[in-house]
């Protein structure tokens, strides 16, 4: 996590750095800092809290300069305070870092022995000291070498000693004409201007200043000058990475008429679903181009599916919940076994790889460290094929995978994932149909029916969004509540998990999702007249069983909120929210929407920072 921006120009660049940081706040926002060099003098400003606090402090100090680096932090090592905020300065070296230096204690010990002292509790300051150490103790500046080369050697030597992950940008008070950068496990992109260049964790930080980008590959290190960019690969061979022109309308970064990004993104779902489906459906099957092969020689994905006997899915958080829905769908309709594992668990356990398995990763950002590590492991474990379902083109996950399904949700800025989730579900519905057709579990007639229900999804979600005012009204019932239970059965069980996650992460109400049949095995003890119990109850195979569970809650005085697809009678104990008849195939996706709205309105009433809930970051690029 953490966001990095750097700039090297012939004009003052403080505004570029601060504007860049603001859009990178999705990567962390517990403290921020900036360093600029002005005629060889370093000005470092750091503050706890969000970028707005830093901006006010920078304004008060009035500093600026033509070269600088900036950082917005999500704390890993050390509290979220001013001292631990980046940049970290050790002598002439000033550094910003995203990632984790795993052997920092060992390096700190070595450097302490050499006389270094440390101001912060961070692993990043140790890296700054290590670069300083190699510049000053080992590599005496060699007059026959250019200053860049000698200093870059020291930078390399320090990084060679580091274990862990990093995206780093370093400036040097003795060398105000270069930014040194390196990437290993954390994203970094160079923005190319005319007589000026930039670096950032994400292109969105640089959209106001350029549309030309060079994506660093993992292991790359380099020197950014005003007129040149030199990059070396992991073997330290000079490489020529392509400059890509990327046109993004900066307006998509605005909130439009909405109060929060999350609200905007909830309401964008009909369009996001439509875009995700566009051009990917034939009459009774998924079109051949829906899943894209990354290599030219690769087989057509629909052909590949004919040989797939097992699917392994790995993801984190909301994306993990999507994968759980995928398991129900694929096993039910395509008759193929599916295993779903949280990425941080997958990467450290032994896995038995069944023959002819497809390894599927799901991620909004495509930069989640645990998911990337799980994919790397899967590649070594010999999975026959890998597929990424991802919302960010050019992300690490996309680049590492053999086949890709881009979810086309559009940029998701609110920290709580909404439209990325429902478009992931579209991807999984398509995968279900494709697998079912490939294995003759879904015939032409059923294929055509499922496709027809997919076509309806955007309009049905649009209709469900009209319940907004009603859901806003009932959200006032949640004032003062500390706990909530979400119940579902079958594919609605993961939707209950997702509803609970949304509520807890943005409103700070403790919420749990349960498969409603599990209620009597423990959680029923929690039910009393104060406990809100939210039930996701579309008209499907599981409904009769779910109704029995609802009766169990009623009998114990629980306060019920039932999102239903079939009117099964009003009663004083329950608030019914009727979504109307929805095809069971798309029901998981449709019934997610009112739960997102509920979480949103409860958070607004609770007065939380909806788009930036405490302790979270949008993109979890550390382990
Ligand atoms: C919750 C949320 C997170 C992410 C998780 C994985 O609303 O957004 O749980 O789903 O951090 O992120 P991605 O999908 O980017 O891999």
């Amino acid at each position: 996590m953490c966001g990095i921006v750097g700039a090297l120009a012939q004009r003052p660049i403080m505004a570029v750095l601060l504007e860049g940081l603001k859009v990178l706040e999705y990567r962390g926002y517990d403290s921020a800092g900036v360093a600029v060099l002005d005629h060889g003098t370093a000005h470092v400003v750091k503050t706890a809290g969000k970028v707005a606090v830093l901006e006010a402090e920078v304004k008060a100090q009035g500093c600026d300069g033509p070269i600088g680096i900036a950082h917005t932090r999500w704390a890993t090592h050390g509290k979220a305070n001013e001292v631990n905020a980046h940049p970290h300065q050790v002598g002439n070296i000033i550094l910003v870092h995203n990632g984790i230096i795993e052997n920092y204690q060992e390096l700190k010990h070595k450097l302490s022995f050499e006389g270094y002292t440390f101001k912060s509790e961070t692993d990043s300051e140790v890296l700054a000291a290590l670069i300083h150490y190699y510049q000053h103790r080992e590599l005496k500046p060699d007059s026959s070498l250019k200053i860049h080369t000698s200093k870059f050697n020291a930078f390399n030597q320090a990084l060679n000693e580091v274990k862990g992950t990093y995206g780093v940008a370093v400036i040097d008070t003795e060398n105000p004409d270069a930014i040194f950068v390196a990437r290993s496990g954390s994203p970094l992109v160079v923005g190319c201007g005319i007589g000026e260049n930039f670096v950032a964790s994400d292109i969105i930080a640089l959209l106001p200043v350029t549309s030309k980008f060079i994506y660093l590959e993992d292991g790359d290190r380099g020197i950014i000058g005003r007129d040149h960019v030199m990059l070396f690969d992991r073997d330290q061979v000079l490489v020529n990475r392509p400059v890509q022109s990327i046109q993004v309308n900066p307006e998509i970064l605005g909130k439009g008429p909405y109060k929060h990004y999350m609200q905007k993104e909830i309401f964008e779902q009909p369009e996001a679903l439509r875009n995700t489906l566009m051009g990917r459906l034939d009459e009774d099957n998924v079109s051949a181009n829906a899943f894209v092969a990354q290599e030219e020689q690769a087989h057509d994905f629909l052909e590949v599916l004919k040989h797939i006997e097992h699917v392994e899915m790995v993801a984190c958080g909301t994306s993990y919940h999507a994968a759980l829905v995928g398991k129900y769908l694929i096993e039910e309709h395509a008759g193929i076994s599916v295993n779903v594992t949280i990425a941080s668990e997958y990467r450290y356990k032994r896995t038995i790889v069944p023959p002819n398995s497809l390894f599927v990763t799901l991620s909004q950002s495509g930069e989640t460290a645990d998911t990337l590590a799980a994919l790397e492991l899967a590649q070594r474990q010999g999975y026959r094929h890998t597929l990424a379902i991802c919302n960010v083109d050019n992300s690490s996950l996309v680049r590492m995978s053999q086949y890709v399904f881009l979810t086309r949700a559009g940029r998701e800025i609110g920290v709580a994932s909404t439209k990325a989730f429902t478009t992931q579900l579209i991807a999984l519905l398509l995968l279900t149909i494709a697998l079912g057709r490939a294995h003759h579990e879904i015939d032409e007639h059923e294929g055509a029916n499922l496709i027809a229900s997919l076509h309806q999804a955007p309009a049905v979600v649009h209709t469900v969004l009209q319940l907004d005012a009603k859901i806003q009204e009932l959200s006032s019932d949640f004032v003062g509540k500390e706990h909530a239970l979400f119940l579902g059965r079958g594919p609605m069980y993961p939707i209950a998990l997702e509803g609970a996650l949304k509520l807890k992460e943005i409103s700070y109400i403790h919420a749990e999702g349960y498969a409603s049949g599990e209620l009597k095995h423990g959680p029923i003890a929690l039910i009393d007249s104060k406990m809100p119990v939210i039930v996701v109850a579309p008209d499907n195979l599981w409904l009769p069983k779910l109704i029995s569970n609802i009766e169990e809650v009623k009998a114990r005085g629980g306060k019920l909120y039932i999102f239903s697809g079939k009117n099964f009678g009003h009663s004083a104990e329950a608030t019914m929210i009727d979504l109307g008849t929805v095809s069971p195939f798309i029901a998981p996706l449709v019934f997610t929407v009112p739960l997102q709205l509920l979480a949103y309105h409860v958070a607004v009433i609770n007065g939380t920072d909806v788009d930036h809930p405490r302790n979270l970051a949008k993109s979890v690029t550390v382990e």
Side-chain angles (χ1 to χ4, degrees), residues 480-554:
K481 297 289 179 201
E482 288 180 5
H483 308 279
L485 271 185
F486 285 74
L487 303 179
R489 273 191 106 117
M492 293 299 150
Y493 161 47
I495 300 306
L497 293 175
E498 175 59 10
L501 176 60
K502 286 289 92 89
L503 187 70
K504 76 181 109 176
E505 72 180 323
I506 61 169
S507 73
Y508 313 151
I509 293 176
H510 167 231
E512 290 198 58
Y514 267 97
S516 62
E518 267 295 284
L519 206 58
K520 54 188 164 299
H521 299 287
I524 203 160
L526 293 170
I527 292 181
D528 60 16
S529 59
K530 288 188 237 102
M531 172 69 92
V533 180
I534 298 105
V535 189
V536 219
D539 188 5
N540 62 12
L541 270 178
W542 292 268
L543 186 62
K545 299 285 169 204
L546 185 68
I547 291 177
S548 308
N549 303 136
I550 290 173
E551 291 306 324
E552 290 160 12
V553 176
K554 272 188 194 165

Side-chain angles (χ1 to χ4, degrees), residues 316-319 362-366 368 415-417 501-502 505 620:
C316 300
T318 287
S319 298
L362 294 100
S363 173
Q364 188 286 127
S365 61
T368 301
V415 164
S417 190
L501 176 60
K502 286 289 92 89
E505 72 180 323
V620 186

Side-chain angles (χ1 to χ4, degrees), residues 88-208:
H88 292 286
Q89 180 166 15
V90 178
N92 55 310
I93 298 295
I94 306 174
L95 166 144
V96 288
H97 167 225
N98 166 25
I100 294 181
I101 309 298
E102 285 165 6
N103 57 338
Y104 84 104
Q105 288 290 16
E106 189 188 304
L107 295 171
K108 196 170 186 175
H109 187 70
K110 159 183 160 159
L111 290 164
S112 303
F113 189 71
E114 295 289 339
Y116 283 83
T117 54
F118 296 89
K119 295 189 230 48
S120 76
E121 303 158 275
T122 65
D123 51 340
S124 312
E125 189 186 9
V126 176
L127 177 56
L130 193 65
I131 297 169
H132 183 271
Y133 168 77
Y134 279 116
Q135 257 194 27
H136 294 265
R137 309 287 162 101
E138 301 239 312
L139 291 172
K140 297 278 178 230
D142 177 343
S143 55
S144 67
L145 286 171
K146 279 192 176 156
I147 188 162
H148 281 354
T149 318
S150 167
K151 284 180 176 287
F152 192 60
N153 285 345
F155 178 67
N156 273 321
Q157 198 145 349
L159 290 175
N160 291 345
E161 217 173 308
V162 157
K163 290 197 188 98
T165 54
Y166 50 81
V168 284
V170 173
I171 55 174
D172 184 333
T173 56
E174 295 169 0
N175 182 24
D177 297 316
I179 302 177
F180 290 174
V181 293
R183 168 193 172 158
S184 182
S186 301
L188 216 52
V189 62
V190 172
C192 309
I194 299 169
E196 56 185 23
N197 285 313
F198 310 89
V199 63
S201 307
D202 184 331
I203 62 164
I204 60 164
L206 303 178
L207 291 179

Side-chain angles (χ1 to χ4, degrees), residues 2-15:
C2 306
I4 291 175
V5 198
L8 176 56
Q10 295 161 39
R11 57 178 172 132
I13 44 72
M14 184 61 88

Side-chain angles (χ1 to χ4, degrees), residues 460 464 467 492 535-540 543 546-547 550 561-569 575-584 587 590-591 594:
V460 176
V464 169
L467 293 169
M492 293 299 150
V535 189
V536 219
D539 188 5
N540 62 12
L543 186 62
L546 185 68
I547 291 177
I550 290 173
Y561 298 86
I562 304 173
F563 292 93
S564 69
K566 179 183 182 178
N567 191 347
F568 43 87
T575 303
M576 303 293 295
I577 306 99
D578 187 6
L579 275 69
T581 310
V582 178
S583 145
V590 174
F591 277 73

